[in-house]
């Protein structure tokens, strides 16, 4: 059990409030924020941390990452053994935590083992919420095989390389049902369905519709029966509409959304997780890491829709969570998403996307993304005011002298 921590002399960025709060103290006991007060807090056993007037805020939440996808070109994962996949993933997670992301939702690839390794302290990294292997149809976004690989995907070994380990192909109601049940047996916190074409898959058109309504409905049925939910990779209004009508809870990407699809999402109480930085990073750097010309052409189709999708969702009242969706070495640009969203959103709105809305995605409202009593003790100390300068989240955590996760100090350079 970590020792109690008493924080003093800070300005508090509590995302439920519209501005920084002065004159407060905060007590952490175990892994929980026990007390927040505008009066002095007494604790005989706590270690007192003088924050030097800096900003104290909740840890960040990235709602769309891939800690096991260590190659920018997904087919290249076929050459990566599971030992190397895990070692690379450990480094990627450690770097995420150093950038202030104390919780992440992995939307395809990470398994219960790496999640458990973080939870038990065997590896430093963000708290993980996992989808296991994303589920999609033959020839869809979760099928990275070469055209010369003509054998049935399900007959191939999933234990020999990172490409097979992180992807799941299923066709028809019975296969989808079995695939969803298996992912939940393997500890998935949510189910990820591939419902449209994607940039990083080799052969599917971006506007292709993947999975029939019947297949989607059975996935939703099984997830809900297990107390879980379904989120869908979807770019186009048609794919988003199909997902909404079939009971899917969240949309990943959504760059090409239109007003009608956004209005439907709002009526259904759905959440969008956007990830603009992935498209800019791929445009600028992915070719050098082996991404094909065909994939980069698809990237051009969605990159301009990113900011427009934020505007459309804001008008419709659809919550938009912070996501990055970066692959391999591009993951170092995770915090750049804060800067890209400034074109459309205020700093506070962007910070809420990486705190309050992220907690909503994870169904952890009041437990994550806040400094309220009873929340898990994930805290960042920032050298300045993020409401005035989102650049404080850049430079790989250089402006974060203190990072606390689950009540334990991960970094302290005070």
């Amino acid at each position: 059990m970590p020792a109690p921590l008493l924080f003093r002399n800070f300005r508090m960025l509590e995302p439920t409030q519209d501005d920084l709060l002065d004159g407060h103290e905060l007590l952490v006991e175990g892994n929980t924020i026990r007390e927040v007060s505008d009066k002095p807090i007494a604790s005989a056993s706590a270690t007192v941390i003088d924050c030097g007037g800096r900003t104290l805020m909740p840890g960040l939440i990235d709602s769309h990452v891939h800690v096991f996808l260590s190659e920018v070109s997904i087919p290249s994962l076929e050459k990566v053994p599971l030992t190397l996949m895990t070692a690379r993933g450990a480094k990627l997670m450690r770097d995420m935590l150093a950038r202030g992301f104390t919780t992440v939702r992995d939307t395809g690839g990470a398994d219960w083992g790496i999640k458990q390794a973080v939870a038990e302290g065997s590896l430093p990294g963000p708290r993980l919420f996992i989808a296991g292997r994303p589920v999609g149809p033959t020839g869809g976004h979760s099928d990275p095989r070469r055209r010369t690989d003509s054998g049935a995907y399900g007959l191939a070994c999933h234990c020999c390389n990172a490409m097979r380990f992180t992807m799941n192909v299923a066709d028809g109601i019975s296969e989808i049902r079995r695939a969803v049940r298996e992912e939940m047996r393997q500890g998935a916190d949510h189910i990820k369905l591939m419902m449209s074409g994607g940039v990083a898959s080799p052969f599917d058109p971006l506007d292709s519709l993947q999975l029939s309504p019947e297949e989607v409905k059975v996935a939703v049925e099984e997830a809900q029966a297990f107390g879980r939910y379904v989120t869908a990779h979807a770019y186009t209004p048609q794919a988003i509409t199909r997902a909404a009508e079939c009971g899917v809870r969240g949309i990943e990407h959504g760059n090409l959304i239109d007003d009608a699809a956004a209005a439907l999402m709002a009526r259904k109480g759905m959440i969008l997780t956007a990830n603009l930085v992935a498209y800019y990073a791929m445009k600028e750097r992915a070719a050098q890491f082996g991404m094909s010309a065909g994939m980069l052409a698809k990237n051009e189709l969605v990159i301009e829709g990113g900011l427009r999708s934020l505007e459309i969702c804001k008008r419709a009242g659809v919550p938009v969570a912070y996501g990055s969706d970066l692959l391999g070495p591009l993951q170092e640009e995770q915090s750049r998403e804060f800067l890209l969203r400034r074109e459309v959103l205020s700093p506070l709105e962007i910070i809420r996307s990486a705190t309050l809305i992220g907690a909503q995605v994870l169904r952890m409202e009041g437990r994550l993304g806040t400094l309220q009593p009873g929340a898990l003790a994930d805290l960042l100390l920032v050298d300045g005011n993020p409401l005035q300068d989102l650049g404080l989240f850049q430079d790989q955590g250089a402006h974060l002298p203190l990072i606390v996760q689950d009540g334990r100090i991960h970094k302290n350079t005070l």
Side-chain angles (χ1 to χ4, degrees), residues 29-59:
E29 291 183 350
N31 70 341
T32 304
I33 297 174
R34 186 62 56 202
E35 185 178 355
V36 180
S37 177
D38 59 1
K39 297 179 176 60
I41 297 174
S43 175
S45 59
T47 298
V48 176
I49 297 178
D50 186 333
C51 298
R54 298 174 178 87
T55 300
L56 188 70
M57 65 174 292

Side-chain angles (χ1 to χ4, degrees), residues 68-80 88 141 144 146 162-163 166-167 199-202 282 285-296 326-330:
F68 274 168
L69 302 188
S70 61
E71 296 281 347
V72 176
S73 177
I74 299 299
S76 298
L77 289 169
E78 188 175 32
K79 304 172 186 176
V80 177
R88 288 176 173 178
H141 189 49
R146 299 173 296 243
M163 188 184 83
T166 56
M167 300 291 166
V199 172
S201 42
M282 285 191 289
R285 300 172 57 197
Q288 72 186 81
F289 294 110
M291 186 166 277
S292 70
M295 295 176 186
L296 291 172
L326 292 157
L327 302 174
L330 302 182

Side-chain angles (χ1 to χ4, degrees), residues 67-68 80-91 93 114 123:
V67 302
F68 274 168
V80 177
L82 302 191
T83 47
L84 182 56
M85 174 192 75
T86 306
R88 288 176 173 178
K91 181 182 185 304
M93 289 190 302
I114 198 74
L123 289 175

